[in-house]
Amino acid sequence: MYYLGLIVEYLKNYMKTRLTYRADFWVEVVSDLLFQATNFIFILVIFMHTDSLGGWSQNEVVFVYGFFMVPFGVFSCFVNLWGFSERYIVKGEMDRVLTRPAHNLFQILLENIDPPSLFGSLIGLIIMAISGANLGLPFEWWTIPALILLTLGATAIYTGIYTTLTSLSFYSDAPTGILPLMYNIQTYGRYPVTIYNRAIQVLLTWVIPFAFVGIYPAALFLQREEMRGMALLTPVVGAVFMGIGLLAWNYGVRRYKGAGS
Amino acid sequence: MLGAYLDFIRIRFLTMLAYRVNYYSGILIYSLNIGVNYFTWMAIYGTGQSLGGFTASQMTSYVAVSWMARAFYFNNLDREISTDIRDGSIAIQFIRPYNYVLVKMMQGLGEGMFRFMLFMIPGMGIAMLLFPVELPTELSSWAGFLVMLFFSFLINSQINVITGLSAFFVENNEGMMRMKRVVVDLFSGLIVPISLFPGWLSSVLEVLPFQAITYLPGSVFTGRVQGVGIWNVLGIQVFWFLVLLIPMVWLNHAARRRLFVQGG
């Protein structure tokens, strides 16, 4: 209850800051969508030169991309750790957060909440609907519950990975530049992982499981029998990686000694 | 005066050196990027022999060279500048007796030199072990590539400075910076070589500066573009370097008059 109240207060606060920079809201929505559009161009360009990518048709790959956008939008809205080390460790804001009663990670996430990202999720759903209709995918009773469950699982995977990586900044005094480097990799989980060699498949499935935020869960809706087991594993992988992320974070916070003045 | 600017290069280089451990993970991540791109392209090639003028083996070299060039020319000047603007420290920097933009470029160069020695060269070594990369053997190609690479850095940094300075006009340019990052990666030919884009789009991209960052140097170096030689590419790069100076200088000038500090 206490945490719910906090969410409401932070959202109110968010609205106030946002109203100060009103035009900015739309700039961000548009730039988010353009970002997605550029990735989309890549898929379209690929299929100008081939009919299938590892046995997957254009509509199927586009559908996977649509699915990928949904958890990614949710993740970008609620988990924004990009400037963490810069803002909270180098500038010392972590000290302020730690003196308050609510869990520190929860506060940091709320302080950086970013609702415009949810537009991406909406576009993703539309892309899924269009390409799904092109493919003649059936709409079953379990489609919506499965979509929600897999989205939550995928979002948990993102959160786990990025929390783990961000918590590295508690251990090294240097601003870690790993997050930007990871940025391109997260998109690779959208392509049929079977085209990669074994090492990369294992990496994208079990080490940095970005395949679980794109191709595996989307395969369930595409009725790809061979990936059904993996799709159903998504929430489990999500729980595991979320757990790792929280452990690494809490352990890191205990090691935190404060920096600067 | 020149000595002061050279010191900015040296200081940034040493700062980066102090944090070098971060970059060992970077080499692995870049190798992974090359690997994933390599396998994606091989899947696209299938049994086909040539796409957009690239044979499969030229594509492999192109992907490796492009990513490793990015390891050198990439920097976060846009983010640094917009942070300076947002926390107000740019006011102090503006009254110091140096040119703010030039200092940023020098710092970017210091970072680039660090990335060249501790990121690009070892990374290239690893990529050549893992993937069938074929590089030219003549010394002249290598010399030409290094000069082109330097211009890639200049043009990319100019675009970054312009994006960063735009924070003067849109207060929060987070969205612009994110967009710029993706546009540069895609339209510079890092992810898809420009000759593979549909005709209308590639002709649009040919009149934009982005191709001068990755596509042209990479194409010449991997022996793909026939007829377009090193001199031609250098000409295009110099052209864009000069053209991009105009908005950069203008923005810097206009920014001085617009400066209002948001807190701090």
Side-chain angles (χ1 to χ4, degrees):
Chain A
M1 259 339 276
Y2 168 63
Y3 279 88
L4 268 182
L6 276 181
I7 293 180
V8 173
E9 287 306 316
Y10 269 105
L11 273 176
K12 273 192 206 157
N13 226 330
Y14 171 84
M15 290 308 290
K16 283 181 207 154
T17 35
R18 257 304 138 98
L19 289 173
T20 329
Y21 298 131
R22 222 166 299 194
D24 202 51
F25 179 86
W26 293 108
V27 171
E28 204 183 321
V29 170
V30 171
S31 66
D32 262 9
L33 294 183
L34 274 174
F35 160 60
Q36 306 292 1
T38 52
N39 288 321
F40 208 69
I41 293 174
F42 180 58
I43 297 176
L44 298 183
V45 169
I46 281 184
F47 280 98
M48 286 173 54
H49 300 280
T50 179
D51 293 329
S52 95
L53 191 60
W56 295 61
S57 72
Q58 176 166 10
N59 266 315
E60 286 176 311
V61 175
V62 168
F63 184 91
V64 173
Y65 188 71
F67 176 83
F68 157 86
M69 286 175 78
V70 178
F72 186 69
V74 176
F75 163 77
S76 316
C77 170
F78 293 104
V79 186
N80 184 355
L81 292 167
W82 275 93
F84 174 78
S85 136
E86 184 74 2
R87 175 173 168 195
Y88 288 89
I89 300 213
V90 177
K91 296 234 163 90
E93 286 202 45
M94 194 65 196
D95 299 342
R96 168 179 61 82
V97 170
L98 286 175
T99 56
R100 295 177 180 168
H103 187 265
N104 51 73
L105 180 60
F106 181 75
Q107 288 183 60
I108 289 165
L109 295 186
L110 277 182
E111 283 180 3
N112 293 296
I113 200 163
D114 185 39
S117 307
L118 287 175
F119 271 90
S121 300
L122 188 69
I123 303 286
L125 288 173
I126 295 172
I127 292 178
M128 280 170 83
I130 294 173
S131 54
N134 286 346
L135 286 163
L137 291 181
F139 194 88
E140 313 269 4
W141 61 270
W142 49 262
T143 303
I144 299 281
L147 186 62
I148 294 172
L149 184 67
L150 293 180
T151 301
L152 288 178
T155 310
I157 292 173
Y158 274 123
T159 311
I161 294 175
Y162 279 95
T163 315
T164 310
L165 291 176
T166 307
S167 64
L168 288 178
S169 46
F170 289 118
Y171 302 92
S172 89
D173 325 333
T176 51
I178 299 179
L179 249 49
L181 290 169
M182 293 286 287
Y183 198 71
N184 286 298
I185 294 173
Q186 68 187 10
T187 60
Y188 300 138
R190 301 184 326 228
Y191 303 108
V193 282
T194 39
I195 63 174
Y196 304 136
N197 85 346
R198 199 74 201 116
I200 294 180
Q201 280 186 42
V202 170
L203 197 68
L204 283 176
T205 307
W206 305 115
V207 185
I208 34 174
F210 285 129
F212 278 106
V213 303
I215 191 83
Y216 291 147
L220 183 73
F221 304 104
L222 288 169
Q223 315 211 310
R224 288 267 176 173
E225 299 293 327
E226 75 272 22
M227 284 184 183
R228 174 171 293 164
M230 294 308 255
L232 296 175
L233 260 183
T234 306
V236 181
V237 177
V240 170
F241 273 80
M242 189 81 163
I244 295 174
L246 286 177
L247 278 178
W249 181 273
N250 284 335
Y251 189 73
V253 169
R254 250 180 291 146
R255 281 191 40 141
Y256 170 75
K257 293 199 187 65
S261 51
Chain B
M1 195 60 213
L2 182 68
Y5 285 111
L6 291 180
D7 272 344
F8 280 107
I9 302 182
R10 190 175 62 88
I11 292 166
R12 177 60 71 93
F13 185 88
L14 294 176
T15 315
M16 299 293 290
L17 202 58
Y19 295 146
R20 63 183 168 279
V21 179
N22 285 332
Y23 282 84
Y24 300 143
S25 58
I27 293 174
L28 291 178
I29 291 173
Y30 265 57
S31 305
L32 181 62
N33 273 314
I34 294 174
V36 171
N37 273 298
Y38 167 72
F39 288 110
T40 311
W41 283 113
M42 290 310 118
I44 295 167
Y45 270 93
T47 53
Q49 286 307 300
S50 170
L51 286 183
F54 282 86
T55 64
S57 78
Q58 276 171 343
M59 185 62 95
T60 308
S61 308
Y62 178 86
V63 168
V65 167
S66 301
W67 275 96
M68 282 309 151
R70 185 184 194 268
F72 165 69
Y73 68 66
F74 183 85
N75 57 47
N76 280 314
L77 290 184
D78 50 348
R79 197 158 291 274
E80 289 174 28
I81 293 174
S82 85
T83 308
D84 280 355
I85 293 173
R86 230 175 307 171
D87 68 14
S89 64
I90 196 158
I92 310 290
Q93 306 232 34
F94 267 176
I95 56 175
R96 286 186 186 150
Y98 56 56
N99 182 314
Y100 175 72
V101 170
L102 197 54
V103 166
K104 282 292 159 201
M105 291 290 272
M106 290 298 171
Q107 290 177 336
L109 186 58
E111 185 173 337
M113 284 163 66
F114 166 83
R115 285 163 156 271
F116 183 79
M117 285 185 232
L118 282 106
F119 194 161
M120 182 176 162
I121 292 180
M124 200 69 214
I126 291 176
M128 290 184 72
L129 286 178
L130 294 177
F131 310 106
V133 180
E134 283 166 32
L135 295 179
T137 45
E138 312 90 80
L139 201 63
S140 61
S141 311
W142 283 89
F145 182 64
L146 288 181
V147 179
M148 289 189 288
L149 199 57
F150 180 66
F151 273 97
S152 300
F153 160 79
L154 285 178
I155 295 170
N156 183 54
S157 303
Q158 283 177 312
I159 294 174
N160 280 348
V161 169
I162 292 168
T163 319
L165 285 176
S166 72
F168 272 114
F169 303 89
V170 286
E171 274 100 45
N172 181 352
N173 64 343
E174 187 61 36
M176 274 189 70
M177 290 192 291
R178 248 188 289 175
M179 204 163 86
K180 185 229 67 188
R181 186 193 200 97
V182 182
V183 167
V184 169
D185 279 354
L186 184 69
F187 290 167
S188 70
L190 176 71
I191 298 175
V192 186
I194 286 173
S195 61
L196 290 184
F197 282 114
W200 63 272
L201 187 55
S202 58
S203 48
V204 170
L205 293 180
E206 270 158 29
V207 294
L208 291 176
F210 307 111
Q211 60 158 353
I213 300 175
T214 310
Y215 174 67
L216 292 178
S219 298
V220 171
F221 190 56
T222 53
R224 188 324 253 161
V225 177
Q226 308 297 329
V228 182
I230 291 176
W231 293 111
N232 232 327
V233 171
L234 270 176
I236 297 173
Q237 286 188 316
V238 172
F239 170 78
W240 278 113
F241 169 70
L242 295 175
V243 169
L244 287 172
L245 279 179
I246 300 167
M248 196 165 89
V249 169
W250 178 80
L251 265 177
N252 186 32
H253 189 72
R256 277 168 186 272
R257 272 179 288 134
R258 246 191 87 93
L259 175 64
F260 68 94
V261 176
Q262 310 176 51

